[in-house]
Amino acid sequence: MYEQTHGSPSLPSTNGTTSLLKFIRQTKKLWWAAAALTVLMGILGFVLALLTDSPTYTSKMLLSLNLTISQNGISTNSDTALVQWYGESYRVFLTSNKVADKVLEQLNEENLVLERKDITDSISLKQMGSTNMIELIVTAEDPNYSFRIADALANVVAQPEMKQSFPNIQVNIIDRPEYPTLRDPSSDKLLYPLLGILLGLGLGALVIWVSMFFSRTIQSETDIYNSVSTKLFASIPYEERKRRLRKKGDVSMLITPASDFSYIEAYKSLRVKVESLSASRHYKKFLITSAAADEGKSTVISNLAIVLAQKEKNVLIVDCDMRKPTIQSLFSLPGKDIAGLSTLLRGECQVGDVLRRNEKFGVSIVTSGPCVDDAAELLDSDAMRAFVAAMEERFDYILLDTPPAHVVSDATALAKYADAAILVIRQDFCSMDIINRTIDDIGSQNLPVVGCVFNKTEKSRGMVGGYKRYGRYGYARYGYSNGYGYKYEQGSGKTSSSVSRSRRK
């Protein structure tokens, strides 16, 4: 059984803003894919530019056009429209077949065989600003062809027969063509790589959008209200490491006076929910877990204990994660090889040997002790039952930190000792199906999942991506790579065919 969310409508939100923030979070997670596609397409564009590149050479000459029109016996250049008309006409004339045939005649005399189209295609004209200067440009794949065509054009332009075609225009050759010694810069060398980069960015954005569209992770509080079968207790904001580094050397995630106001208030809100359950239902033993690893449950349980202790409550944290313990490092306690819960349950020490008091935060702690390979069996033992019963008489609240409930069976083994469970859900991390399946698994042990904590949320700037996952929602790093020397058991494997979506009225 589990506590279900009420049937209220979705929280109001701006769809455009929500989608943008979701896209930003997804981009930060998959930036490497977009970068890889951009680099790959840029390289392909560069290779294409090399394969399709054909060198060209340009030979140029400079002409001046002077209009001589006689009006009443007086030569004039004052009619601007007339001057422009004659100039445009002459530029068309230079690229005509008549001029091309004259050029071919000269080239044939020099044993250079070309077609008329070769001539007309190679010629281009450029007016030099608003002056009467025209730059005649000849471009060809062979530098000799470029020069010979341009030189022949210079000779043709100077022929009296050609001048008679435009008697009102005086053409002067200012600069004759020179032999091109350098190839023209290829625009394709920059164009194709640039197009490849733009295409790569577009493909990267498409990949991110598609992954965002099909993503089943929890992105917002609205997703929890609509898709997760338990109540939302609190949303814990994400504190960036750079900001924490500025807090006078305190880089932990534990609440201190230097913590952000919103960070502290979020945990106080969680405390109110827990105190309300304690007052109305007499709950005092809470199992706090998550579906997957690295969702921040140990930080949540530690800070919840701290804010409860600030209300003069006697709080005990029990680190039941004897596979990958975290509580000891959060509170800067001695290493996992000292006496702890595992040694206590094996009968190798007494309760007084494992119960530690942290005066700075006012909480009591039982660390996990040395890592073991029979954690589930130890937790499901009479020794554990007796320990919890003894602690229940001494403390106002007992908070049990467990391994991820969907990964290993430890959390379900601990269910019998707790009054209620609280699930930690990290933003944009674990799928909704896995989360609801975890709630079902815990509920099958007759332990109510009274609520969840939405952890490491980024509401305004988007989520910092690139999380290091432990396999597929699992403890891939539980065991060999951490030096524990044994293979850890997997989750209970329960796969509920359907997840209830009813809401508390």
Side-chain angles (χ1 to χ4, degrees):
M1 70 188 253
Y2 50 80
E3 298 274 335
Q4 298 170 335
T5 55
H6 50 78
S8 63
S10 301
L11 291 177
S13 63
T14 303
N15 291 335
T17 302
T18 302
S19 298
L20 177 61
L21 293 179
K22 185 175 179 180
F23 184 81
I24 292 173
R25 287 194 294 269
Q26 202 73 1
T27 300
K28 290 183 176 181
K29 286 174 60 180
L30 297 177
W31 65 268
W32 56 269
L37 284 171
T38 301
V39 172
L40 177 61
M41 297 307 295
I43 292 174
L44 290 177
F46 179 74
V47 171
L48 181 62
L50 292 179
L51 294 176
T52 59
D53 181 44
S54 56
T56 59
Y57 297 84
T58 298
S59 185
K60 302 177 182 179
M61 66 176 174
L62 187 62
L63 306 175
S64 69
L65 303 181
N66 296 310
L67 184 63
T68 56
I69 303 175
S70 178
Q71 294 181 355
N72 299 324
I74 301 174
S75 180
T76 179
N77 284 313
S78 60
D79 192 335
T80 304
L82 193 60
V83 171
Q84 183 177 2
W85 183 86
Y86 270 98
E88 292 291 338
S89 299
Y90 190 77
R91 284 195 287 272
V92 173
F93 170 71
L94 288 176
T95 57
S96 66
N97 291 336
K98 181 177 181 180
V99 173
D101 291 339
K102 287 291 183 180
V103 171
L104 283 175
E105 289 177 7
Q106 289 204 14
L107 294 178
N108 289 336
E109 292 175 0
E110 300 174 9
N111 298 321
L112 190 64
V113 180
L114 291 172
E115 300 292 334
R116 176 194 288 173
K117 190 174 186 300
D118 298 331
I119 304 300
T120 55
D121 288 348
S122 66
I123 298 173
S124 60
L125 298 162
K126 177 183 177 183
Q127 184 173 358
M128 309 302 290
S130 59
T131 68
N132 65 335
M133 298 291 183
I134 294 179
E135 188 177 47
L136 195 151
I137 304 167
V138 178
T139 303
E141 294 182 0
D142 186 287
N144 185 52
Y145 283 13
S146 174
F147 172 72
R148 299 286 288 278
I149 294 173
D151 190 59
L153 270 171
N155 294 332
V156 169
V157 167
Q159 291 178 358
E161 179 184 351
M162 292 293 104
K163 291 184 177 182
Q164 289 176 2
S165 300
F166 283 85
N168 294 320
I169 294 180
Q170 180 181 353
V171 181
N172 298 313
I173 300 177
I174 307 300
D175 292 327
R176 288 190 66 87
E178 296 181 355
Y179 192 92
T181 56
L182 298 175
R183 62 172 291 180
D184 300 334
S186 176
S187 60
D188 292 346
K189 282 189 174 180
L190 293 177
L191 178 61
Y192 287 161
L194 179 60
L195 290 177
I197 289 172
L198 293 177
L199 180 59
L201 288 173
L203 290 175
L206 179 62
V207 169
I208 292 171
W209 183 86
V210 170
S211 65
M212 178 190 75
F213 184 79
F214 289 102
S215 174
R216 294 280 297 162
T217 59
I218 301 298
Q219 300 281 343
S220 64
E221 294 179 0
T222 303
D223 288 342
I224 292 180
Y225 274 77
N226 292 338
S227 305
V228 177
S229 47
T230 190
K231 292 180 179 179
L232 175 63
F233 274 5
S235 292
I236 310 298
Y238 185 86
E239 283 201 323
E240 295 180 7
R241 188 172 186 273
K242 289 182 179 179
R243 298 176 67 187
R244 289 186 276 118
L245 285 173
R246 293 198 294 265
K247 296 177 182 178
K248 301 178 182 180
D250 182 10
V251 297
S252 76
M253 292 299 294
L254 297 183
I255 288 178
T256 66
S259 298
D260 288 343
F261 174 80
S262 59
Y263 191 69
I264 298 173
E265 288 302 308
Y267 279 106
K268 288 184 178 180
S269 175
L270 177 60
R271 178 182 66 190
V272 169
K273 301 294 193 305
V274 171
E275 287 179 327
S276 176
L277 287 169
S278 179
S280 61
R281 305 185 190 182
H282 307 290
Y283 290 168
K284 63 186 303 183
K285 298 171 292 182
F286 290 89
L287 183 148
I288 300 180
T289 188
S290 60
D294 200 26
E295 296 200 63
K297 57 181 175 50
S298 296
T299 301
V300 170
I301 199 172
S302 299
N303 284 325
L304 174 59
I306 291 172
V307 294
L308 285 171
Q310 291 172 354
K311 294 287 292 290
E312 305 297 328
K313 301 297 182 181
N314 197 8
V315 185
L316 172 66
I317 301 174
V318 183
D319 191 349
C320 302
D321 191 344
M322 292 182 282
R323 305 172 186 273
K324 189 183 175 185
T326 305
I327 296 296
Q328 62 197 28
S329 59
L330 285 173
F331 287 93
S332 301
L333 295 174
K336 57 178 176 289
D337 293 330
I338 66 170
L341 184 62
S342 61
T343 53
L344 175 66
L345 298 181
R346 288 184 182 277
E348 299 173 2
C349 63
Q350 301 298 318
V351 172
D353 300 325
V354 299
L355 196 59
R356 295 176 175 82
R357 176 76 177 174
N358 185 291
E359 297 298 339
K360 177 181 178 180
F361 296 105
V363 299
S364 298
I365 302 167
V366 174
T367 58
S368 68
C371 294
V372 296
D373 57 359
D374 57 346
E377 289 76 17
L378 288 177
L379 295 174
D380 190 15
S381 64
D382 293 337
M384 182 65 183
R385 185 184 300 276
F387 167 70
V388 173
M391 296 300 99
E392 187 175 4
E393 298 177 359
R394 298 176 55 177
F395 293 94
D396 299 317
Y397 292 97
I398 300 175
L399 307 181
L400 305 176
D401 185 13
T402 79
H406 186 72
V407 181
V408 291
S409 60
D410 299 15
T412 54
L414 289 164
K416 62 176 69 69
Y417 311 121
D419 298 321
I422 298 175
L423 189 69
V424 177
I425 301 173
R426 182 172 178 170
Q427 186 180 42
D428 194 21
F429 193 78
C430 193
S431 76
M432 299 175 187
D433 295 336
I434 296 293
I435 291 170
N436 282 305
R437 197 176 302 157
T438 300
I439 293 174
D440 277 350
D441 289 345
I442 297 174
S444 67
Q445 303 299 313
N446 295 319
L447 179 67
V449 180
V450 291
C452 67
V453 177
F454 194 29
N455 196 29
K456 298 187 178 182
T457 62
E458 287 272 346
K459 295 181 180 179
S460 59
R461 295 183 302 275
M463 190 68 171
V464 175
Y467 300 123
K468 191 171 188 180
R469 297 180 184 269
Y470 293 78
R472 187 180 177 88
Y473 306 113
Y475 275 15
R477 295 189 64 193
Y478 259 34
Y480 303 121
S481 60
N482 277 353
Y484 297 160
Y486 62 94
K487 183 176 182 180
Y488 290 98
E489 59 190 298
Q490 297 301 313
S492 61
K494 296 179 181 179
T495 55
S496 302
S497 59
S498 63
V499 178
S500 173
R501 291 294 183 270
S502 59
R503 302 289 185 258
R504 176 182 294 274
K505 295 181 178 180

